[in-house]
Amino acid sequence: MQIALTANGRRFDLDVEARRTLADALRDDCGLTGTHLGCEHGVCGACTVLVDGTAVRSCLMFAVQCDGAQVRTVEGLAGEDGAAHPLQAAFSAEHALQCGFCTPGFLMLAAGALEADPGLAADPDRLRELLTSNLCRCTGYEPIRRAVIAAARAMTPRA
Ligand code: FES
Ligand code: FES
């Protein structure tokens, strides 16, 4: 099937089988390998990207469902000048990664959540619930939690 999607502001015209996942299309057809594949069945969240602003598990979505959609991957987080996104800066400052395999998924999960509701990080229960969505098997969740809180502060305009 012929589809066109926009990823990180760039249009991609793709010829994909109906069964091709968004994750495979992004990685193999668009060359956006920052999106990682772990479980490939919707459990780990490593493949999280934003589709029209909403966090999705790209291993569970078909590429054809994204015809005409705006997709954002971890490659699209940094500013046009190359400056790290507040979440990327905070993950680095708070040591919120070790092997880094889960990191693109956590960054996109948090980016989608904070852009929709910057106040989320101030609510410990909601933040904990958000972060339980994705699996990290080596860093532990406390540095990730601290990083998201720090990024939310940096992203909130001061009065
Ligand atoms: Fe998609 Fe694990 S690779 S949820
Ligand atoms: Fe290794 Fe999360 S940093 S799995």
Side-chain angles (χ1 to χ4, degrees):
M1 300 178 70
Q2 308 284 334
I3 64 168
L5 59 80
T6 302
N8 306 327
R10 179 179 161 201
R11 178 183 165 120
F12 290 88
D13 292 287
L14 305 176
D15 184 5
V16 293
E17 291 187 13
R19 64 180 179 172
R20 190 158 186 74
T21 65
L22 174 60
D24 285 344
L26 288 171
R27 288 178 52 84
D28 299 334
D29 300 332
C30 304
L32 297 168
T33 54
T35 298
H36 290 168
L37 276 169
C39 65
E40 297 193 61
H41 62 266
V43 175
C44 72
C47 65
T48 303
V49 300
L50 302 183
V51 174
D52 293 331
T54 299
V56 303
R57 279 147 155 62
S58 60
C59 71
L60 292 185
M61 195 161 189
F62 293 119
V64 293
Q65 292 175 278
C66 296
D67 189 21
Q70 297 279 340
V71 180
R72 200 155 151 228
T73 72
V74 70
E75 288 93 339
L77 262 191
E80 285 179 8
D81 60 355
H85 185 279
L87 277 163
Q88 293 171 310
F91 268 60
S92 173
E94 295 291 342
H95 305 288
L97 64 147
Q98 288 185 48
C99 77
F101 190 85
C102 68
T103 308
F106 271 105
L107 288 172
M108 298 318 292
L109 176 76
L114 292 183
E115 285 170 11
D117 179 5
L120 179 144
D123 183 330
D125 290 338
R126 288 175 64 214
L127 178 56
R128 193 175 302 117
E129 184 180 0
L130 176 78
L131 296 180
T132 58
S133 168
N134 285 22
L135 299 182
C136 174
R137 64 182 184 178
C138 59
T139 297
Y141 288 75
E142 186 55 25
I144 296 173
R145 190 187 69 82
R146 286 199 310 266
V148 175
I149 292 171
R153 285 198 196 107
M155 290 166 70
T156 304
R158 288 181 174 67

